[in-house]
């Protein structure tokens, strides 16, 4: 929300016209926003692979915690990210 994207179709750069538009003031943020979502997902994966995350746990809880973290990160990226990116296209 710090980038102040359009949250309604009327806020899109192509409102009332044809073609693809963007929800951001700068077109470059369409790509950078995807990369930020990917970096967040990779950070979750790296955090799950750190040995300190496994400290004192057995294999079952480690795998369950990792899967829950990854599923939550992917679901949040899809719900928040793609709705915003598909708003103006």
């Amino acid at each position: 929300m710090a980038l102040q994207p359009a949250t309604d179709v009327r806020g899109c750069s192509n409102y009332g016209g044809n073609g693809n538009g963007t929800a951001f003031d700068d077109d470059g943020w369409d790509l950078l926003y995807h990369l930020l979502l990917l970096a967040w997902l990779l950070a979750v994966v790296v955090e799950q692979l750190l040995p300190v995350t496994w400290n004192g746990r057995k294999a079952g809880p480690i795998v369950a915690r990792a899967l829950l973290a990854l599923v939550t990160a992917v679901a949040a990226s899809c719900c928040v990210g793609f709705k915003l990116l598909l708003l103006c296209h």
Side-chain angles (χ1 to χ4, degrees), residues 20-40:
N20 288 334
T22 178
F24 302 104
D25 290 334
D26 183 9
D27 293 344
W29 273 109
D30 279 339
L31 174 63
L32 292 174
Y33 193 67
H34 279 292
L35 294 177
L36 285 174
L37 291 176
L38 181 62
W40 178 51

Side-chain angles (χ1 to χ4, degrees), residues 40-41 44 68-82:
W40 178 51
L41 184 61
V44 170
L68 181 64
L70 289 175
V71 168
T72 303
V74 169
S77 292
C78 289
C79 292
V80 174
F82 292 123

Side-chain angles (χ1 to χ4, degrees), residues 21 55 64:
N55 198 12

